Amino acid sequence: MDVRILESVHAVARKAADICCEWIRRKPDARLGLAAGATPQALYTELIERNRRAEVSFARVETFNLDEYLGIGPDHPRSFRRAMRDGLFGELDIDPANTHLPRGDAADPAAEAEAYEAAVRSRGGIDLQILGIGRNGHIGFNEPGSSLDSRTRVVRLSPVTLRDNQLGPPDFEEPVEAITMGIGTILEARALLVLATGAAKARAVAAALEGPLSPSCPASALRLHSDATLLLDPEAAADLRSTDVHESGV
Ligand code: GLP
């Protein structure tokens, strides 16, 4: 894995945007895998600005998000679909029909998960998958214990994730299940771009890079990919022991 420590959250966002734009320049109809959550927001802001400056066009790009909460519809303020529309898609020259997330309000969630996996495959797979890492080492919503060859499926959220994602309103019943691409699905992307920033991620990053390759840390599976880049800010890198990984990867 190519592990790079950059000086700030903004430096991580700029480098990540460079990598995304390079993919789109080489392949204008690139299929990007996207992550929700706070970490990629700075990257998305950077992409919006570059799109406004006409440095990159998303007109032919297609996107597939990693995951979605179950039990809430696409317009719900807590849905990832809504967050992606408000925070990215609505600000780009992308065709909304080319932006895909699983339906959180599907009548048959297991069938929805299977159909989503099939849709990714039928389009030819993901070119560049953007990923964050949960505080407990999850990727997408693959919680600790997820099998390393898991596919897109319905999952139950762990207590840590439920706590971390509790953004209210106070009387809102938080979703306890989600549909997520599996670890095996994620590893089939042609390239992975993993972002981790802030001190809260330091332990998960160290476990992912230097701990055992194990379902107890789903992000450790990223080491199995032959074209994976991990961009860190100094806070997220603070618990790494090996100095080798800083420059040359593991
Ligand atoms: C979320 C999402 C993941 C995300 C991770 C980290 O719940 N399911 O796709 O990468 O947890 O989130 P954040 O970037 O907000 O810390």
Side-chain angles (χ1 to χ4, degrees), residues 34-41 65-69 80 130-136 138-143 157 161 164-165 167 178-180 195-197 200-201:
L34 299 180
T39 310
Q41 282 314 311
N65 266 69
L66 281 169
D67 46 19
E68 178 61 284
Y69 288 114
F80 285 160
I130 293 155
L131 291 153
I133 300 181
R135 227 160 34 92
N136 61 357
H138 75 208
I139 47 173
F141 272 134
N142 294 281
E143 301 284 25
L157 304 178
T161 300
D164 283 354
N165 292 3
L167 298 174
I179 291 177
T180 184
L195 312 178
T197 53
K201 300 298 170 67

Side-chain angles (χ1 to χ4, degrees), residues 39-59:
T39 310
Q41 282 314 311
L43 160 64
Y44 296 158
T45 302
E46 184 68 26
L47 290 176
I48 291 166
E49 284 167 8
R50 293 185 192 197
N51 186 228
R52 281 200 189 126
R53 295 197 298 263
E55 292 169 16
V56 61
S57 170
F58 290 79

Side-chain angles (χ1 to χ4, degrees), residues 31-234:
R31 285 177 297 278
L32 300 183
L34 299 180
T39 310
Q41 282 314 311
L43 160 64
Y44 296 158
T45 302
E46 184 68 26
L47 290 176
I48 291 166
E49 284 167 8
R50 293 185 192 197
N51 186 228
R52 281 200 189 126
R53 295 197 298 263
E55 292 169 16
V56 61
S57 170
F58 290 79
R60 293 175 58 205
V61 169
E62 192 167 8
T63 65
F64 287 89
N65 266 69
L66 281 169
D67 46 19
E68 178 61 284
Y69 288 114
L70 267 182
I72 56 179
D75 292 321
H76 193 283
R78 288 296 314 279
S79 75
F80 285 160
R81 162 59 83 183
R82 173 86 178 262
M84 294 303 298
R85 193 178 59 211
D86 295 350
L88 183 66
F89 303 145
E91 306 292 328
L92 296 176
D93 64 345
I94 198 164
D95 179 350
N98 284 341
T99 65
H100 309 281
L101 285 91
R103 290 282 304 213
D105 57 354
D108 182 343
E112 172 71 7
E114 242 177 79
Y116 196 70
E117 172 97 12
V120 170
R121 195 171 306 127
S122 76
R123 297 296 301 133
I126 305 288
D127 291 309
L128 176 66
Q129 176 67 57
I130 293 155
L131 291 153
I133 300 181
R135 227 160 34 92
N136 61 357
H138 75 208
I139 47 173
F141 272 134
N142 294 281
E143 301 284 25
S146 298
S147 135
L148 300 188
D149 61 1
S150 50
R151 315 304 311 186
T152 306
R153 69 201 184 289
V154 173
V155 291
R156 220 176 158 71
L157 304 178
S158 76
V160 172
T161 300
L162 288 174
R163 245 193 337 269
D164 283 354
N165 292 3
Q166 222 166 46
L167 298 174
D171 57 340
F172 171 62
E173 211 178 302
E174 300 285 333
V176 293
E177 289 186 318
I179 291 177
T180 184
M181 284 190 197
I183 299 176
T185 319
I186 291 168
L187 291 178
E188 279 171 11
R190 284 170 193 89
L192 304 181
L193 176 56
V194 192
L195 312 178
T197 53
K201 300 298 170 67
R203 264 175 56 190
V205 166
L209 288 180
E210 297 174 346
L213 178 62
S214 152
S216 64
C217 179
S220 67
L222 302 173
R223 278 147 52 188
L224 296 170
H225 200 283
S226 60
D227 185 358
T229 302
L230 171 58
L231 304 181
L232 303 171
D233 71 352

